[in-house]
Amino acid sequence: PTPAVVLMSGRGSNLDAIVRAAIPGLDIRAVISNRPDAGGLALARDHGLHAEVVDASGFATREAFDAALDRAVDAFSPRLVVLAGFMRILAADFVRKHAGRMLNIHPSLLPSFTGLATHRRAIEAGVRLHGATVHFVTPELDAGPIVIQAAVPVLPDDDESTLAARVLAQEHRIYPQAVRWFVAGRLSLQDGRVCLNGATAPEGGF
Ligand code: GAR
């Protein structure tokens, strides 16, 4: 099995999608939130997972928080770190340590719309296609090598929430897919490039 730690900050719907996908060989040893009020904590416990909080407000400095998060993750010796709505920028040392073993999902078609408020910015920009991206995490924010993307149309009547919902449905499809590939040993990072071995399209396409 592949021991994994999931980091999140909020509602946890991507965590939920990954758990429900029942990925063979995935052993989620812990779910860690930086926010004590994250809805995903209860959801994780409902799934019988170990869930804990490393609360940034409990630490005097950014470095102290980073060190505590590093210790909390290391305690579970993960071979995979899954960022599922983790809304804090990770320390570069932490990212380097987990290079090639840490995935993130971002609610846009990267490299467009890095950062926050992606759905509002997509509507404001007038793009006709928007979507979600799973990528390996590198120290530069939202800039790591892309594993899988899903595109959705931006419709004339969309507001931020209708567009977010359309994208989220795709997130729940592509994130479990990427994790499944990784756990099956088919997905890796080789010299900074994504390597996907023997990929066959799942029903409904990638
Ligand atoms: C998701 O839409 C995810 O793509 C986004 O946060 C949401 C978390 O939802 N992540 C980022 O914006 C990362 N910068 P969830 O808690 O229901 O999975």
Side-chain angles (χ1 to χ4, degrees):
T2 300
V5 168
V6 177
L7 302 183
M8 49 114 219
S9 305
R11 131 193 93 170
S13 73
N14 277 288
L15 165 70
D16 192 50
I18 290 167
V19 173
R20 285 177 190 279
I23 296 164
L26 176 65
D27 175 18
I28 300 177
R29 292 200 175 161
V31 173
I32 300 175
S33 170
N34 64 316
R35 297 190 50 136
D37 58 349
L41 287 164
L43 195 144
R45 292 180 184 124
D46 286 347
H47 281 301
L49 298 171
H50 172 81
E52 62 183 59
V53 177
V54 180
D55 185 353
S57 66
F59 298 92
T61 62
R62 167 160 201 109
E63 289 70 27
F65 168 78
D66 289 340
L69 182 67
D70 183 47
R71 277 195 304 276
V73 171
D74 271 0
F76 299 98
S77 307
R79 250 194 8 247
L80 171 64
V81 177
V82 176
L83 306 184
F86 188 70
M87 303 306 280
R88 258 188 89 97
I89 294 175
L90 291 162
D93 283 347
F94 182 89
V95 173
R96 276 192 283 271
K97 174 167 161 178
H98 297 284
R101 302 190 278 118
M102 181 149 60
L103 295 171
N104 181 46
I105 188 150
H106 182 77
S108 78
L109 291 173
L110 290 173
S112 292
F113 309 119
T114 60
L116 299 174
T118 57
H119 307 306
R120 179 171 55 70
R121 287 157 57 215
I123 290 170
E124 282 170 6
V127 296
R128 297 295 197 262
L129 286 173
H130 185 47
T133 303
V134 177
H135 65 94
F136 280 104
V137 179
T138 55
E140 197 188 339
L141 184 71
D142 299 331
I146 290 170
V147 174
I148 183 171
Q149 295 184 301
V152 302
V154 181
L155 301 177
D157 292 340
D158 270 335
D159 58 26
E160 217 173 320
S161 80
T162 57
L163 183 55
R166 193 173 307 119
V167 171
L168 193 65
Q170 294 305 311
E171 296 186 33
H172 296 164
R173 191 172 67 78
I174 63 174
Y175 213 1
Q177 178 66 78
V179 172
R180 193 178 291 111
W181 283 333
F182 187 92
V183 170
R186 290 168 54 186
L187 170 65
S188 61
L189 199 58
Q190 313 276 345
D191 300 323
R193 300 181 68 121
V194 170
C195 185
L196 187 57
N197 294 313
T200 47
E203 215 177 310
F206 287 137

